[in-house]
Amino acid sequence: MAENGEEEMGSVEASGFSDLSDSELLEYLDLEDTQESSASLSKPGPSSELPGKDDKLTSLPKWKRGLDVSSPMERFHLKHLYVTDLSTQDWCEQQMVYGKELPGFLAPEKAAVLDTGASIHLARELEVHDLVTVPTTTKEDAWAVKFLNILSMIPVLQSEGRIREFPVFGEVEGVLLVGVIDELHYTPKGELELAELKTRRRPMLPLEAQKKKDCFQISLYKYIFDAMVQGKVTSASLIHHTKLCPDKPLGPSVLRHARQGGFSVKSLGDLMELVFLSLTLSDLPVIDILKIEYIHQETATVLGTEIVAFEEKEVRGKVQHYMAYWMGHREPQGVDVEEAWKCRTCNYADICEWRRGGGVPSSILEPLAKKVK
Ligand code: SF4
């Protein structure tokens, strides 16, 4: 799962070329969201029950109030973030932070949903190309496979074909953001359409909060993709953030794979040059339409589609707010009172400082506490 490993060493799916989507990570949230309707019945009373968000700072441990001066990017040893980090943050920032701090906390049933979501994505991907696993031993190799995937897909897009699992990356508000677009194709009118596949455990469409998070995710993909094809993403920025060594020779498997794809390269630097040239010279359009397709996991039935309006100002505003946390400019925040129902199905409810600090009345969490025990 390329998007969720800090360094993607080991082996990478390629040729055809592929790079597993990040979107399966979000599928685990389906479990929470499927219980949204019943949980929302326990929506707490007036917001006067809650202290303001600023009040939370007084209940934070000392290290969070200033003794630890490192930013979350430094504390978690991150060179970049995934698009899914930000969309998970959009669901509940505090929950996303716990996910980073306590990665083993994922419940087994959520892991199963992840697996099934990944299988459906894989089946879709195999419809358009074969997969080849390329063994990699360095982060340079892993990025090289990503670049080979991009190089193989650009001509397909140019000839108005359909591609799946397109890697995207770019600096946003000072942080490198990385993701994988599920699918890009052209509509009969010739517009470039991004299609994101979301699998659902139950045969029903998600409610608004889940849709909001999904919309933000695919808006981010457009934001980055458009910047890539407009030449706004540079190799210097990529190297600065990832600390990649462009001169390091690539591994034999990657070199062989590159040769098979018709690319005569020796180092990552050669490949990067090719990628950035291809992206800017191939005259690819920006994304016109953003579409989410919700599919029932068990039957593969399409439950519905959502066309998302891209609101650039709103997306940028959200990104600025979320990046402020990552850069260490503010503390993480939990959900607002209106969304306190999310806590009822949250794995971290028992340990949540936001909730303990008064963010959410503990009474509405009782059912979950019992269930967890
Ligand atoms: S308990 Fe609520 S506020 Fe805390 S992490 Fe979970 S969803 Fe967020």
Side-chain angles (χ1 to χ4, degrees), residues 26 36 38 42 67 72 81 112 122 186 193 270 282 323 332 357 362:
L26 283 187
E36 182 177 337
S38 57
S42 303
L67 293 185
L81 294 176
L122 184 61
Y186 292 87
E193 180 173 88
D270 297 343
S282 53
M323 289 307 185
S362 57

Side-chain angles (χ1 to χ4, degrees), residues 74-245:
E74 293 162 335
R75 213 161 48 239
F76 295 126
H77 307 288
L78 299 175
K79 296 187 184 73
H80 59 256
L81 294 176
Y82 297 104
V83 168
T84 43
D85 288 327
L86 264 68
S87 56
T88 309
Q89 203 170 351
D90 196 53
W91 178 266
C92 172
E93 187 169 73
Q94 182 64 69
Q95 190 184 71
M96 183 277 304
V97 172
Y98 283 134
K100 293 277 180 205
E101 287 174 346
L102 309 161
F105 231 82
L106 192 66
E109 69 270 26
K110 292 185 177 178
V113 170
L114 273 176
D115 281 351
T116 312
S119 305
I120 294 173
H121 277 85
L122 184 61
R124 281 273 181 116
E125 193 179 358
L126 287 169
E127 288 171 11
V128 294
H129 53 223
D130 297 329
L131 295 184
V132 174
T133 299
V134 181
T136 57
T137 51
T138 63
K139 63 182 179 184
E140 282 76 14
D141 276 1
W143 273 91
V145 174
K146 207 184 278 287
F147 289 145
L148 286 168
N149 285 342
I150 292 175
L151 283 172
S152 74
M153 291 189 215
I154 287 175
V156 183
L157 259 194
Q158 275 181 307
S159 57
E160 310 213 335
R162 176 184 303 264
I163 56 168
R164 294 218 167 108
E165 309 293 321
F166 187 85
V168 287
F169 52 86
E171 186 181 304
V172 181
E173 299 297 325
V175 176
L176 181 69
L177 210 49
V178 177
V180 183
I181 293 176
D182 265 359
E183 180 175 316
L184 286 167
H185 59 240
Y186 292 87
T187 65
K189 284 186 184 165
E191 301 153 310
L192 183 59
E193 180 173 88
L194 179 155
E196 172 75 14
L197 173 71
K198 296 283 177 206
T199 48
R200 307 274 312 151
R201 195 167 61 107
R202 294 199 307 187
M204 57 198 293
L205 284 170
L207 297 184
E208 285 313 308
Q210 175 77 32
K211 281 186 187 168
K212 194 169 132 268
K213 181 174 65 63
D214 296 342
C215 294
F216 180 53
Q217 182 189 359
I218 67 167
S219 295
L220 281 174
Y221 288 143
K222 170 176 165 59
Y223 198 75
I224 306 173
F225 178 89
D226 290 359
M228 285 171 82
V229 300
Q230 289 169 337
K232 293 179 185 165
V233 181
T234 64
S235 52
S237 153
L238 186 63
I239 291 168
H240 165 73
H241 287 286
T242 54
K243 312 286 181 245
L244 288 163
C245 297

Side-chain angles (χ1 to χ4, degrees), residues 263-280:
F263 305 109
S264 173
V265 291
K266 287 200 173 82
S267 65
L268 185 74
D270 297 343
L271 258 181
M272 282 174 104
E273 208 177 310
L274 268 180
V275 165
F276 285 99
L277 274 177
S278 304
L279 279 171
T280 48

Side-chain angles (χ1 to χ4, degrees), residues 32 91-98 333-336 339-356 359-360 365 368:
E32 282 139 356
W91 178 266
C92 172
E93 187 169 73
Q94 182 64 69
Q95 190 184 71
M96 183 277 304
V97 172
Y98 283 134
Q333 298 172 342
V335 295
D336 286 330
E339 297 200 312
W341 50 265
K342 290 179 178 175
C343 304
R344 296 190 62 198
T345 51
C346 174
N347 271 3
Y348 309 104
D350 284 351
I351 58 163
C352 178
E353 286 176 29
W354 179 265
R355 176 178 75 90
R356 205 177 292 153
V360 175
L365 293 156
L368 176 73

Side-chain angles (χ1 to χ4, degrees), residues 18-37:
S18 158
D19 197 339
L20 268 187
S21 168
D22 66 324
S23 50
E24 66 260 34
L25 175 69
L26 283 187
E27 303 309 320
Y28 89 88
L29 289 171
D30 277 357
L31 281 177
E32 282 139 356
D33 142 65
T34 52
Q35 295 175 49
E36 182 177 337
S37 53

Side-chain angles (χ1 to χ4, degrees), residues 315-334:
V315 172
R316 194 178 301 136
K318 273 189 176 187
V319 170
Q320 281 167 351
H321 176 68
Y322 294 146
M323 289 307 185
Y325 159 74
W326 288 106
M327 304 296 268
H329 298 156
R330 64 171 179 80
E331 299 294 334
Q333 298 172 342

Side-chain angles (χ1 to χ4, degrees), residues 350 366-373:
D350 284 351
E366 269 316 298
L368 176 73
K370 281 177 189 153
K371 197 173 146 193
V372 169
K373 283 170 197 166

